[in-house]
Amino acid sequence: MKKYQYFLFFILLCSVNYKLQAQDEVYDKPAVIIDTFDVNNNSGDKIESTKTKQEQKNALTELEKKKEKLNRIRLGLGNFGLQFGAITFIQATPTIGYMVIKNRLELGAGPVIIYQRIRYANNFVQSFFVYGSDIYVRGFVYKGINLEARYDAVNKPSNFDLDRRLWVHHLLLGAGYATPMGKIGVFNVSALYNVLNNDESIYRGTFSDRFPLIINMGFAFGLGGK
C-alpha cells in the first residue's frame, strides 16, 4: 500500500515539475515580416520621381538655351520717320539683327523704304519711292552704351532732276544707347554723323543741313519670347 502511495506521489511530482518548466519557457517574439515588394515599389517610385524631376530640369534648361539663342535674333525697325504737309515723308527700315557676341556685338541688315510726296506752289504734286539696303554693326561698350556704324545705299530721284534716278551712298558713324523694353525688347537711340554727306544725300541733318548729324531711333524684339 505504501509503495503504491509512493508511486502516485512520484507521478504527481513529475507532473508539477513539467508544468513549471513549461511555464518558464520564453518564446521569442515573431520576426516582423517586411513586404519587400512594397519597399522595392516605393524605392522605385522615388527613383522614378527623381528621374522625372531631373528630366524636367533638363528640359527646362534646354528650353532656356533655345530661347536664349532665338533672342539673339532681333527683328525690328532700324529707323522710321513721319512727316506730313507740303512734303510728305514716310520712312521705314525693317531690320534683322544677330547678337554675335552676347551683350557685346550685334550685326544686322535690312531694306530701306521711303515714300515721299511733294506738293508745289502751283499745286503740282509729285510722288516717288526711295529704296535700298542698310547694314549696321553695333558694339556695346558699357551696358546699353554702344558705338554704331551704318552703311546705306539707296536708289532715289535726283534732287535736281526728279526724272533721273541715281544711287547714293551713306556712311553713318556715331554712338547711342539701348534701353530694355520688357524682357525681350530693346529701344535704340543714336547720334550718327554722315561721313559721305553730299547734295543728294537723304540724311541732311536733324538740326542743320550744313552739319549732317542725325538722331536715329529704332526698336527690336528677340524671337525667343519671355
PDB file of all heavy atoms in Angstrom, residues 6-16:
ATOM      1  N   TYR A   6       3.622   5.857  -2.697  1.00  0.00           N
ATOM      2  CA  TYR A   6       4.872   6.497  -3.137  1.00  0.00           C
ATOM      3  C   TYR A   6       4.899   6.680  -4.659  1.00  0.00           C
ATOM      4  O   TYR A   6       5.382   7.674  -5.200  1.00  0.00           O
ATOM      5  CB  TYR A   6       6.085   5.677  -2.692  1.00  0.00           C
ATOM      6  CG  TYR A   6       6.321   5.728  -1.191  1.00  0.00           C
ATOM      7  CD1 TYR A   6       6.861   4.635  -0.491  1.00  0.00           C
ATOM      8  CD2 TYR A   6       6.039   6.914  -0.503  1.00  0.00           C
ATOM      9  CE1 TYR A   6       7.100   4.696   0.866  1.00  0.00           C
ATOM     10  CE2 TYR A   6       6.278   6.955   0.862  1.00  0.00           C
ATOM     11  CZ  TYR A   6       6.802   5.878   1.542  1.00  0.00           C
ATOM     12  OH  TYR A   6       7.041   5.938   2.878  1.00  0.00           O
ATOM     13  N   PHE A   7       4.387   5.705  -5.354  1.00  0.00           N
ATOM     14  CA  PHE A   7       4.380   5.735  -6.814  1.00  0.00           C
ATOM     15  C   PHE A   7       3.501   6.864  -7.329  1.00  0.00           C
ATOM     16  O   PHE A   7       3.885   7.612  -8.241  1.00  0.00           O
ATOM     17  CB  PHE A   7       3.900   4.375  -7.344  1.00  0.00           C
ATOM     18  CG  PHE A   7       3.830   4.320  -8.844  1.00  0.00           C
ATOM     19  CD1 PHE A   7       5.006   4.241  -9.597  1.00  0.00           C
ATOM     20  CD2 PHE A   7       2.607   4.353  -9.509  1.00  0.00           C
ATOM     21  CE1 PHE A   7       4.925   4.199 -10.962  1.00  0.00           C
ATOM     22  CE2 PHE A   7       2.553   4.310 -10.875  1.00  0.00           C
ATOM     23  CZ  PHE A   7       3.717   4.224 -11.621  1.00  0.00           C
ATOM     24  N   LEU A   8       2.303   7.047  -6.729  1.00  0.00           N
ATOM     25  CA  LEU A   8       1.392   8.134  -7.129  1.00  0.00           C
ATOM     26  C   LEU A   8       2.009   9.492  -6.824  1.00  0.00           C
ATOM     27  O   LEU A   8       1.902  10.445  -7.605  1.00  0.00           O
ATOM     28  CB  LEU A   8       0.048   7.986  -6.393  1.00  0.00           C
ATOM     29  CG  LEU A   8      -0.822   6.789  -6.809  1.00  0.00           C
ATOM     30  CD1 LEU A   8      -2.088   6.758  -5.952  1.00  0.00           C
ATOM     31  CD2 LEU A   8      -1.191   6.895  -8.269  1.00  0.00           C
ATOM     32  N   PHE A   9       2.664   9.583  -5.644  1.00  0.00           N
ATOM     33  CA  PHE A   9       3.298  10.845  -5.265  1.00  0.00           C
ATOM     34  C   PHE A   9       4.411  11.209  -6.241  1.00  0.00           C
ATOM     35  O   PHE A   9       4.582  12.370  -6.634  1.00  0.00           O
ATOM     36  CB  PHE A   9       3.857  10.721  -3.842  1.00  0.00           C
ATOM     37  CG  PHE A   9       4.565  11.947  -3.370  1.00  0.00           C
ATOM     38  CD1 PHE A   9       3.843  13.088  -2.995  1.00  0.00           C
ATOM     39  CD2 PHE A   9       5.952  11.977  -3.326  1.00  0.00           C
ATOM     40  CE1 PHE A   9       4.521  14.203  -2.573  1.00  0.00           C
ATOM     41  CE2 PHE A   9       6.607  13.105  -2.904  1.00  0.00           C
ATOM     42  CZ  PHE A   9       5.890  14.235  -2.510  1.00  0.00           C
ATOM     43  N   PHE A  10       5.150  10.199  -6.701  1.00  0.00           N
ATOM     44  CA  PHE A  10       6.234  10.430  -7.662  1.00  0.00           C
ATOM     45  C   PHE A  10       5.685  10.928  -8.995  1.00  0.00           C
ATOM     46  O   PHE A  10       6.227  11.852  -9.615  1.00  0.00           O
ATOM     47  CB  PHE A  10       7.032   9.120  -7.837  1.00  0.00           C
ATOM     48  CG  PHE A  10       8.115   9.223  -8.852  1.00  0.00           C
ATOM     49  CD1 PHE A  10       9.300   9.898  -8.539  1.00  0.00           C
ATOM     50  CD2 PHE A  10       7.970   8.693 -10.147  1.00  0.00           C
ATOM     51  CE1 PHE A  10      10.288  10.002  -9.488  1.00  0.00           C
ATOM     52  CE2 PHE A  10       8.959   8.813 -11.068  1.00  0.00           C
ATOM     53  CZ  PHE A  10      10.141   9.459 -10.755  1.00  0.00           C
ATOM     54  N   ILE A  11       4.591  10.335  -9.449  1.00  0.00           N
ATOM     55  CA  ILE A  11       3.964  10.755 -10.720  1.00  0.00           C
ATOM     56  C   ILE A  11       3.454  12.188 -10.617  1.00  0.00           C
ATOM     57  O   ILE A  11       3.610  13.016 -11.520  1.00  0.00           O
ATOM     58  CB  ILE A  11       2.826   9.792 -11.100  1.00  0.00           C
ATOM     59  CG1 ILE A  11       3.418   8.414 -11.437  1.00  0.00           C
ATOM     60  CG2 ILE A  11       2.019  10.339 -12.274  1.00  0.00           C
ATOM     61  CD1 ILE A  11       2.369   7.342 -11.710  1.00  0.00           C
ATOM     62  N   LEU A  12       2.819  12.521  -9.455  1.00  0.00           N
ATOM     63  CA  LEU A  12       2.283  13.872  -9.240  1.00  0.00           C
ATOM     64  C   LEU A  12       3.409  14.907  -9.226  1.00  0.00           C
ATOM     65  O   LEU A  12       3.307  15.980  -9.810  1.00  0.00           O
ATOM     66  CB  LEU A  12       1.512  13.905  -7.911  1.00  0.00           C
ATOM     67  CG  LEU A  12       0.894  15.269  -7.556  1.00  0.00           C
ATOM     68  CD1 LEU A  12      -0.115  15.707  -8.617  1.00  0.00           C
ATOM     69  CD2 LEU A  12       0.206  15.179  -6.192  1.00  0.00           C
ATOM     70  N   LEU A  13       4.510  14.559  -8.590  1.00  0.00           N
ATOM     71  CA  LEU A  13       5.656  15.456  -8.516  1.00  0.00           C
ATOM     72  C   LEU A  13       6.244  15.713  -9.897  1.00  0.00           C
ATOM     73  O   LEU A  13       6.600  16.834 -10.251  1.00  0.00           O
ATOM     74  CB  LEU A  13       6.717  14.854  -7.587  1.00  0.00           C
ATOM     75  CG  LEU A  13       7.965  15.706  -7.360  1.00  0.00           C
ATOM     76  CD1 LEU A  13       7.585  17.026  -6.698  1.00  0.00           C
ATOM     77  CD2 LEU A  13       8.967  14.959  -6.485  1.00  0.00           C
ATOM     78  N   CYS A  14       6.346  14.673 -10.685  1.00  0.00           N
ATOM     79  CA  CYS A  14       6.861  14.838 -12.062  1.00  0.00           C
ATOM     80  C   CYS A  14       5.953  15.701 -12.906  1.00  0.00           C
ATOM     81  O   CYS A  14       6.403  16.521 -13.706  1.00  0.00           O
ATOM     82  CB  CYS A  14       7.034  13.466 -12.713  1.00  0.00           C
ATOM     83  SG  CYS A  14       8.363  12.507 -11.997  1.00  0.00           S
ATOM     84  N   SER A  15       4.649  15.566 -12.684  1.00  0.00           N
ATOM     85  CA  SER A  15       3.682  16.347 -13.460  1.00  0.00           C
ATOM     86  C   SER A  15       3.783  17.833 -13.130  1.00  0.00           C
ATOM     87  O   SER A  15       3.770  18.701 -14.004  1.00  0.00           O
ATOM     88  CB  SER A  15       2.276  15.835 -13.191  1.00  0.00           C
ATOM     89  OG  SER A  15       1.340  16.640 -13.862  1.00  0.00           O
ATOM     90  N   VAL A  16       3.914  18.140 -11.824  1.00  0.00           N
ATOM     91  CA  VAL A  16       4.022  19.534 -11.403  1.00  0.00           C
ATOM     92  C   VAL A  16       5.320  20.150 -11.920  1.00  0.00           C
ATOM     93  O   VAL A  16       5.360  21.276 -12.406  1.00  0.00           O
ATOM     94  CB  VAL A  16       3.968  19.630  -9.863  1.00  0.00           C
ATOM     95  CG1 VAL A  16       4.276  21.045  -9.408  1.00  0.00           C
ATOM     96  CG2 VAL A  16       2.578  19.207  -9.379  1.00  0.00           C
TER      97      VAL A  16
END
